[in-house]
Amino acid sequence: MDTQVKIRGHRIELGEIENKISKYNGISAAVADVSKYGEAQRLTAYIVPEVYSTDTEEYSAAVKKAAQKASDQYPDEIDISSYAYFMDRLENVALGIMIKSLDETGAVVDGKLLGVDKIISEKGVSVKYRKLLKQWLDTLEKENIILKSSNGLYDLVSFTPPVNIDEELTSIINSPDAVYWKDFFEFILLCKNNMVKILKSELNPLSILFPDGNWKRAENYYADNPVAKYNNYIVAQSVAAFLKENNKTAKILEVGAGTGGTTASILNAVKDMDAEYHYTDLSTFFTDKAKEKFSDYNFVKYGLFNIDREPQTQGYNWGEFDVIVGANVLHDAQNLHSTLLNLKNMLTPNGMLIMLETTENKLIHKVSIGLLEGFSGYEDQRLDKNVPLLNLDEWQTVLKNSGYTNVSFYPENEQNSYEQHAIFAFAEKAAVNIDTDQLKKYLVNELPSYMIPEQYIKIDHIPLSSNGKADKKLLPKPNFAAQKTAKHEIAQPTTPLEKDLCNIFSEALSIKEVGITENLFEIGIDSLKAISVVTKCGQKGYNITLMDLYSNPTIKQLGEYIGSQG
């Protein structure tokens, strides 16, 4: 097979580059590849470092001791049996919401319930809710409310809500134990009242969870209630115990930090210790506000991180962090195995992964937070059961298969938990540290300058095709962030309205200029940023919805739309 490519006028053999890199101390294998960026061909080297076994027993023992002590301190406000009672009542409410919402979409035709495909194609429900709809129908079938019939239809056995939804939900909300979730119950109530609009993508549930960009409802769910405080305390005390065993500055990475509920507990626990904390999320919607919220902590840095992408292509290195925290986020991964591998590779040899995860799929999730996009993003083994959340045995298995050891859960007794657990795991093996700057210096003496790769990406293994050759399509895509893109003419605003909109979007995107013909979603606006933009537009007197913004993705189009509305 010809592996020659042409780079800057030179014809080179990729195998020669791979051979030289593979001889470098600490590297077991390598692959070279070429990518086209603009008119230029760019070389990338993929290297497989050698690995060695780790000894994390001392760290693990300290963490387990702290986690056990913290998990024994149950909240005084609500005991487990009382929590379980009102959660059970919510399950009946959730069943009722599913039945009522399906009926309101028109999914019942001639006494039969349509299947998922027909509900989407004939009743206008968005395809992005396919998995959720399947969960609803599977639930109703399991509860003997519907019965699978022929032609993809369902017979109605007892298609009536098991409780009066409004009366039961009001009763739960007004009960003494539910007072701690008051703001989040508003989210459930508003989802119920707007379910058909949500299912048809006429209303984004994020705008209900974060009304006008306000975090209050989300914070109530993830931080400001006794159960969240209890679980966040377990995580925080365990991180502090790890740091006490550490004899250097500990680098902590939190992925999917969101509204910072767990962050706040950890920062309070480690504020007097030698630590550097990296608060990351998918969107600056979170990091911008977190900078204000945690301004008193001068050891916190902020950045973007996507758990579904290879970390090195996002500016993060292998072996960089002593602790990685993922609170209520890793279930959002498209492929848990890949995400867990990537996080493991970022750990130092004695490093620890801490997760906070709900370990039971509840019906109430399917009519509330399950409406959020991340909850249905899974494309891995969870497709078999079509549920997003793993139980403890499943977490044990996926962590072991992803190269972790010393896995532990707190609270230890699954019956004595609030359906959520702190999960701790350590890397079973660590990769030899390859200094890519030194590797490049070595290659300078071994190869002509035009054969020196520009980027070096570490990988666990070389993916192979059916014929045993390296399958380069499966390699992570390099990110030549330093490459200068060609300057382009920025279309300037021509009306006061367009000028106002340019100012709103440039502030939201933290960039100097936004052209009126640029696609706003291609230059950084995401679903969360869009909520803030809609709010700011409203403050200026431009009343638009999220759907208006999605339908008019440039400032010119949006300005014309606003103008047409009078």
Side-chain angles (χ1 to χ4, degrees):
M1 181 179 177
D2 183 15
T3 58
Q4 287 192 342
V5 295
K6 197 170 184 179
I7 299 283
R8 294 188 290 277
H10 300 275
R11 185 162 289 280
I12 63 175
E13 177 66 51
L14 292 178
E16 187 178 349
I17 301 172
E18 295 166 356
N19 182 52
K20 292 295 183 183
I21 294 175
S22 296
K23 290 180 178 178
Y24 189 77
N25 188 37
I27 294 178
S28 63
V31 172
D33 195 21
V34 115
S35 302
K36 189 171 183 179
Y37 283 81
E39 297 302 314
Q41 296 274 57
R42 317 295 287 267
L43 267 174
T44 299
Y46 297 89
I47 57 179
V48 181
E50 295 175 353
V51 297
Y52 59 93
S53 297
T54 61
D55 181 9
T56 58
E57 292 296 334
E58 189 174 335
Y59 287 89
S60 178
V63 168
K64 288 179 179 178
K65 183 178 179 181
Q68 183 62 67
K69 182 178 179 181
S71 65
D72 286 339
Q73 300 179 42
Y74 289 98
D76 295 327
E77 296 94 333
I78 181 170
D79 59 36
I80 291 171
S81 60
S82 299
Y83 177 80
Y85 174 67
F86 89 71
M87 286 301 292
D88 286 343
R89 293 178 67 188
L90 279 174
E91 295 297 89
N92 278 328
V93 169
L95 270 177
I97 293 173
M98 292 178 200
I99 294 169
K100 182 173 181 289
S101 301
L102 287 168
D103 196 27
E104 290 177 347
T105 63
V108 177
V109 178
D110 297 330
K112 298 271 191 178
L113 178 66
L114 301 179
V116 171
D117 290 339
K118 289 190 175 182
I119 293 174
I120 291 172
S121 63
E122 297 178 14
K123 301 304 174 182
V125 171
S126 173
V127 68
K128 72 180 179 182
Y129 290 116
R130 176 182 295 278
K131 290 174 188 169
L132 183 67
L133 275 179
K134 181 68 165 58
Q135 290 172 26
W136 281 21
L137 299 193
D138 288 346
T139 298
L140 297 180
E141 188 175 15
K142 182 180 178 181
E143 295 292 329
N144 202 35
I145 292 169
I146 59 175
L147 183 65
K148 191 172 288 184
S149 180
S150 58
N151 300 322
L153 302 176
Y154 292 83
D155 291 327
L156 308 182
V157 179
S158 176
F159 205 66
T160 304
V163 293
N164 183 305
I165 302 170
D166 293 325
E167 287 183 5
E168 183 70 354
L169 191 52
T170 300
S171 174
I172 294 169
I173 291 172
N174 291 331
S175 66
D177 291 327
V179 67
Y180 306 107
W181 287 268
K182 183 175 180 291
D183 292 311
F184 188 70
F185 274 123
E186 287 182 6
F187 174 66
I188 295 175
L189 191 61
L190 288 168
C191 286
K192 174 192 78 73
N193 293 340
N194 293 278
M195 189 63 72
V196 175
K197 285 185 177 180
I198 292 171
L199 292 176
K200 293 186 176 184
S201 287
E202 295 170 1
L203 178 64
N204 191 325
L206 283 172
S207 64
I208 300 176
L209 186 60
F210 299 102
D212 297 331
N214 190 296
W215 286 12
K216 191 175 181 181
R217 288 172 187 158
E219 285 179 319
N220 182 218
Y221 184 68
Y222 293 114
D224 297 336
N225 69 72
V227 173
K229 290 175 182 177
Y230 167 71
N231 287 307
N232 288 333
Y233 179 71
I234 296 173
V235 171
Q237 292 304 301
S238 303
V239 172
F242 181 96
L243 265 59
K244 287 176 183 175
E245 295 295 317
N246 206 45
N247 57 7
K248 60 183 177 63
T249 300
K251 291 186 70 175
I252 304 169
L253 169 68
E254 185 176 1
V255 299
T259 57
T262 304
T263 315
S265 295
I266 296 175
L267 294 181
N268 185 57
V270 305
K271 61 186 177 185
D272 297 321
M273 306 176 82
D274 191 5
E276 178 182 296
Y277 201 95
H278 293 253
Y279 176 109
T280 69
D281 205 285
L282 263 177
S283 173
T284 54
F285 173 82
F286 292 115
T287 56
D288 286 350
K289 196 163 183 177
K291 290 175 184 177
E292 301 174 17
K293 184 174 181 177
F294 301 118
S295 59
D296 289 341
Y297 300 97
N298 60 9
F299 58 94
V300 182
K301 298 183 178 182
Y302 303 88
L304 299 180
F305 185 82
N306 185 336
I307 62 173
D308 290 321
R309 285 180 51 205
E310 208 290 326
Q312 294 164 97
T313 65
Q314 302 180 69
Y316 296 88
N317 299 316
W318 277 29
E320 185 176 0
F321 296 100
D322 300 286
V323 178
I324 297 178
V325 180
N328 302 299
V329 65
L330 291 189
H331 59 259
D332 285 344
Q334 293 175 5
N335 186 300
L336 269 173
H337 177 68
S338 296
T339 293
L340 289 170
L341 275 177
N342 286 333
L343 296 180
K344 175 178 67 69
N345 291 334
M346 285 196 289
L347 288 172
T348 57
N350 295 314
M352 172 178 66
L353 171 66
I354 302 182
M355 300 180 292
L356 196 55
E357 283 288 334
T358 299
T359 51
E360 185 175 348
N361 289 281
K362 305 293 287 186
L363 301 187
I364 194 62
H365 299 156
K366 304 180 197 304
V367 295
S368 57
I369 54 174
L371 296 164
L372 306 178
E373 289 179 21
F375 242 70
S376 295
Y378 53 91
E379 295 293 343
D380 52 17
Q381 75 276 10
R382 289 171 288 174
L383 288 172
D384 294 337
K385 294 169 65 176
N386 192 36
V387 290
L389 304 178
L390 277 64
N391 61 36
L392 293 185
D393 288 340
E394 289 167 334
W395 274 117
Q396 180 82 42
T397 298
V398 72
L399 284 164
K400 182 179 179 181
N401 291 342
S402 302
Y404 290 85
T405 188
N406 284 328
V407 179
S408 57
F409 309 90
Y410 294 90
E412 285 186 301
N413 187 333
E414 195 160 8
Q415 303 306 314
N416 291 335
S417 75
Y418 294 93
E419 301 162 352
Q420 193 169 44
H421 288 81
I423 305 172
F424 306 89
F426 295 79
E428 186 174 17
K429 293 184 178 181
V432 170
N433 181 35
I434 305 297
D435 187 323
T436 53
D437 288 334
Q438 293 301 315
L439 173 58
K440 187 178 283 190
K441 288 180 182 178
Y442 155 77
L443 292 176
V444 165
N445 295 320
E446 299 289 328
L447 295 168
S449 60
Y450 56 84
M451 294 179 70
I452 307 296
E454 293 183 54
Q455 277 201 11
Y456 299 82
I457 297 177
K458 298 169 187 174
I459 54 177
D460 287 294
H461 66 283
I462 296 172
L464 301 178
S465 63
S466 57
N467 62 7
K469 301 291 185 180
D471 192 342
K472 295 183 178 181
K473 295 190 298 295
L474 298 179
L475 293 169
K477 302 300 179 189
N479 178 19
F480 293 98
Q483 177 165 333
K484 302 293 183 183
T485 55
K487 289 186 177 180
H488 63 281
E489 199 77 26
I490 294 179
Q492 298 296 324
T494 59
T495 67
L497 170 56
E498 287 179 350
K499 187 174 182 180
D500 275 349
L501 293 175
C502 283
N503 289 336
I504 289 170
F505 282 98
S506 63
E507 181 183 345
L509 293 166
S510 299
I511 57 179
K512 188 175 180 181
E513 282 187 293
V514 178
I516 64 171
T517 58
E518 293 182 279
N519 187 306
L520 299 164
F521 295 95
E522 291 179 2
I523 61 172
I525 289 295
D526 55 38
S527 54
L528 289 162
K529 278 286 185 186
I531 294 170
S532 296
V533 166
V534 167
T535 300
K536 288 176 181 177
C537 284
Q539 292 168 351
K540 286 275 190 178
Y542 309 133
N543 295 315
I544 60 170
T545 66
L546 284 173
M547 287 305 298
D548 294 335
L549 180 52
Y550 289 127
S551 301
N552 301 279
T554 70
I555 286 173
K556 183 175 177 61
Q557 290 172 323
L558 189 59
E560 290 172 351
Y561 171 78
I562 293 171
S564 71
Q565 300 304 299

